[in-house]
């Protein structure tokens, strides 16, 4: 069976969920071969193997941390040259998309970014994308070269499929461009303890209806009861009530969780663009005519300051 390269997103060897989703999708096309760059490949290989990686090509070098993306592109290209895969899959993060695009240019291939689904086809993998503010789903196939495809988080549920996951050293030589952009400092963001917005299975977002930064704890409490990430509409972000990094929408982040709860959000097209592909959508809004109710699975017409705390308590009670 043909092999499919899967670029591993990890933090010091802890594999992030979008990579496990990629392995699940990769198995539809061929045998997944993971490409792990950086430390702790052995630790990562256990998880990667459990999720179907037959091999884990591994390389570690200071260049991966000291310089922006190009060293990683050099390494992914080395893996490509070594494997001659049927496709290359990369998580759709900002960095992942840059790596994928650079690789595609180098190997003369077509690229599809932000796929939300992937299936095998007679003439190569077929990728689904959600376009025009999620109003349409398109299916595309790459017609030139080896398909390079980036896939959005939450596009598939990770499924265990034990495979060897044998670690093999990947030999990489860095090109001249690899050291073109040096990382000069790093400052970790203060952790909220909540999941990453774009990867979370549940997102609870607040909008202008939250009416002030001091009220966002209502949204946070509901999110914490569900183990969810917190999102915000642009109106809430522009008002300075919540950080820009939490904005959901056309000019914010795109999320596609299992459950999206919008509280005090009207449902403007630009907000919908970032959340419309969520599997189940719930809205709490005191205006029964709010456009958000056109796309919800469950809607509550009511004041979020009444509804959200009750929901939080109910979730806590049921969780025991
Ligand atoms: C180029 C461009 C890009 C944009 N990008 C984005 C983007 O990425 N993300 C984004 O979100 N927006 C974006 N916008 C802005 C977008 O058009 C809307 O203005 C914005 O989404 C509105 O935010 P909102 O729903 O929180 O506020 P509003 O539209 O003011 O809605 C507030 C809602 O809260 C309800 N409400 C009020 N009080 C309560 C209460 N106590 N309980 C329950 N409900 C209550 C109201 O009934 C109302 O429906 C963009 C706009 C432009 C032009």
């Amino acid at each position: 069976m043909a092999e499919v390269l899967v670029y591993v997103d990890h933090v010091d060897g802890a594999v992030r969920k979008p990579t496990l989703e990629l392995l699940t999708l990769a198995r539809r096309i061929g045998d997944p071969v993971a490409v792990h760059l950086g430390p702790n490949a052995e630790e990562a290989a256990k998880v990667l193997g459990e999720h179907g990686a037959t091999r884990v090509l591994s390389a570690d070098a200071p260049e991966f941390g000291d310089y922006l993306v190009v060293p990683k592109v050099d390494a992914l290209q080395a893996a490509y040259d070594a494997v001659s895969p049927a496709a290359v899959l990369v998580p759709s993060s900002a960095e992942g998309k840059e790596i994928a695009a650079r690789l595609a240019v180098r190997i003369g291939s077509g690229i599809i970014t932000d796929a939300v689904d992937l299936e095998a086809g007679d003439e190569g993998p077929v990728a689904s994308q959600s376009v025009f503010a999620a109003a349409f789903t398109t299916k595309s196939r790459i017609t030139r070269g080896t398909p390079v495809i980036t896939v959005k988080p939450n596009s598939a549920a990770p499924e265990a499929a034990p495979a060897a996951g044998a670690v093999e050293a990947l030999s990489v030589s860095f090109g001249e461009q690899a050291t073109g952009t040096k990382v000069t400092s790093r400052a970790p963001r203060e952790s909220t303890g909540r999941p990453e917005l774009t990867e979370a299975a549940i997102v609870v977002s607040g909008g202008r209806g939250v009416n002030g930064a001091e009220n966002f704890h209502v949204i946070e409490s509901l999110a914490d009861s569900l183990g969810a990430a917190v999102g915000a509409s642009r109106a809430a972000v522009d008002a300075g009530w919540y950080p820009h990094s939490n904005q959901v929408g056309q000019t914010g982040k795109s999320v596609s969780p299992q459950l999206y709860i919008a509280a005090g959000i009207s449902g403007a097209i630009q907000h919908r663009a970032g959340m419309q592909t969520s599997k189940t959508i719930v809205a709490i809004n005191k205006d029964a005519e709010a456009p958000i109710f056109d796309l919800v699975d469950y809607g509550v017409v009511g004041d979020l300051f009444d509804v959200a705390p009750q929901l939080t308590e109910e979730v806590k009670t049921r969780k025991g």
Side-chain angles (χ1 to χ4, degrees), residues 15-147:
V15 180
R16 301 181 74 182
K17 187 166 149 266
T19 301
L20 306 182
E21 296 166 10
L22 282 194
L23 288 169
T24 301
L25 292 173
R27 293 204 309 276
R28 297 180 185 170
I29 308 168
D31 288 332
V33 175
V35 181
H36 179 281
L37 308 179
N40 303 325
E42 292 288 344
E43 181 189 325
K46 286 183 208 144
V47 180
L48 297 166
E50 277 164 22
H51 289 82
T54 54
R55 302 194 279 154
V56 178
L57 306 184
S58 149
D60 195 6
E63 281 83 350
F64 296 134
D66 291 349
Y67 298 92
L68 294 185
V69 301
V70 182
K72 294 174 181 168
V73 182
D74 287 345
L76 188 56
Q77 188 175 5
Y80 168 84
D81 291 339
V83 171
S84 300
V88 182
L89 306 185
V90 182
S92 258
S93 60
E95 181 180 89
K97 281 191 268 192
E98 185 172 350
I99 290 170
R102 285 174 179 264
L103 177 76
V105 170
R106 286 188 186 188
I107 64 177
S109 284
I111 179 170
I112 293 173
T113 56
D114 288 337
V116 294
D117 201 4
L118 210 54
E119 57 199 88
D122 293 340
E123 295 169 85
V126 177
S128 301
Q129 288 164 297
S130 180
V131 300
F132 293 135
F136 288 84
T137 300
T138 61
K139 290 191 178 210
S140 319
R141 181 172 58 74
I142 286 166
T143 55
R144 199 175 87 171
T146 301

Side-chain angles (χ1 to χ4, degrees), residues 206-210 232-236 247-252 263-268 270-271 284-287 290 302-305:
R208 204 194 305 268
V210 176
S233 73
R234 179 157 160 181
Q247 183 182 316
V248 172
Q250 186 183 313
T251 44
I265 292 177
S266 62
Q270 296 88 353
H271 187 79
I284 305 167
N285 196 304
K286 65 183 184 184
D287 175 8
D303 189 320
L304 73 92
F305 296 104

Side-chain angles (χ1 to χ4, degrees), residues 70-300:
V70 182
K72 294 174 181 168
V73 182
D74 287 345
L76 188 56
Q77 188 175 5
Y80 168 84
D81 291 339
V83 171
S84 300
V88 182
L89 306 185
V90 182
S92 258
S93 60
E95 181 180 89
K97 281 191 268 192
E98 185 172 350
I99 290 170
R102 285 174 179 264
L103 177 76
V105 170
R106 286 188 186 188
I107 64 177
S109 284
I111 179 170
I112 293 173
T113 56
D114 288 337
V116 294
D117 201 4
L118 210 54
E119 57 199 88
D122 293 340
E123 295 169 85
V126 177
S128 301
Q129 288 164 297
S130 180
V131 300
F132 293 135
F136 288 84
T137 300
T138 61
K139 290 191 178 210
S140 319
R141 181 172 58 74
I142 286 166
T143 55
R144 199 175 87 171
T146 301
V148 179
I149 301 171
T150 78
V151 181
K152 282 174 103 170
N154 285 314
S155 294
E159 285 163 18
V167 178
E168 295 173 24
L170 174 68
S171 154
V172 183
S173 51
F174 297 112
E176 250 175 50
Q177 293 174 348
T179 53
T181 316
K182 188 164 173 50
V183 177
T184 55
S185 76
R186 276 201 173 80
R189 193 178 52 196
E190 220 171 275
S191 170
T192 60
R194 299 190 181 97
E196 162 64 32
L197 183 57
T198 53
E199 295 168 15
I202 306 176
V203 175
V204 182
S205 289
R208 204 194 305 268
V210 176
N211 201 25
E214 66 282 9
N215 298 331
F216 247 86
H217 66 89
V218 174
I219 304 298
E220 291 180 333
S221 299
L222 178 55
D224 290 342
S225 73
L226 293 161
V230 175
S233 73
R234 179 157 160 181
V237 162
D238 282 352
W241 302 342
Y242 224 67
H244 277 279
S245 54
N246 294 65
Q247 183 182 316
V248 172
Q250 186 183 313
T251 44
K253 295 199 170 136
S254 249
V255 300
S256 196
Q258 295 297 319
L259 172 63
Y260 186 86
I261 302 179
I265 292 177
S266 62
I269 182 82
Q270 296 88 353
H271 187 79
R272 293 162 69 142
M275 45 66 74
Q276 198 158 331
T277 53
S278 305
K279 310 293 176 294
T280 300
I281 299 172
V282 175
I284 305 167
N285 196 304
K286 65 183 184 184
D287 175 8
E289 303 297 321
I292 189 97
F293 286 125
D294 294 342
L295 78 150
V296 297
D297 298 283
Y298 302 98
V300 183

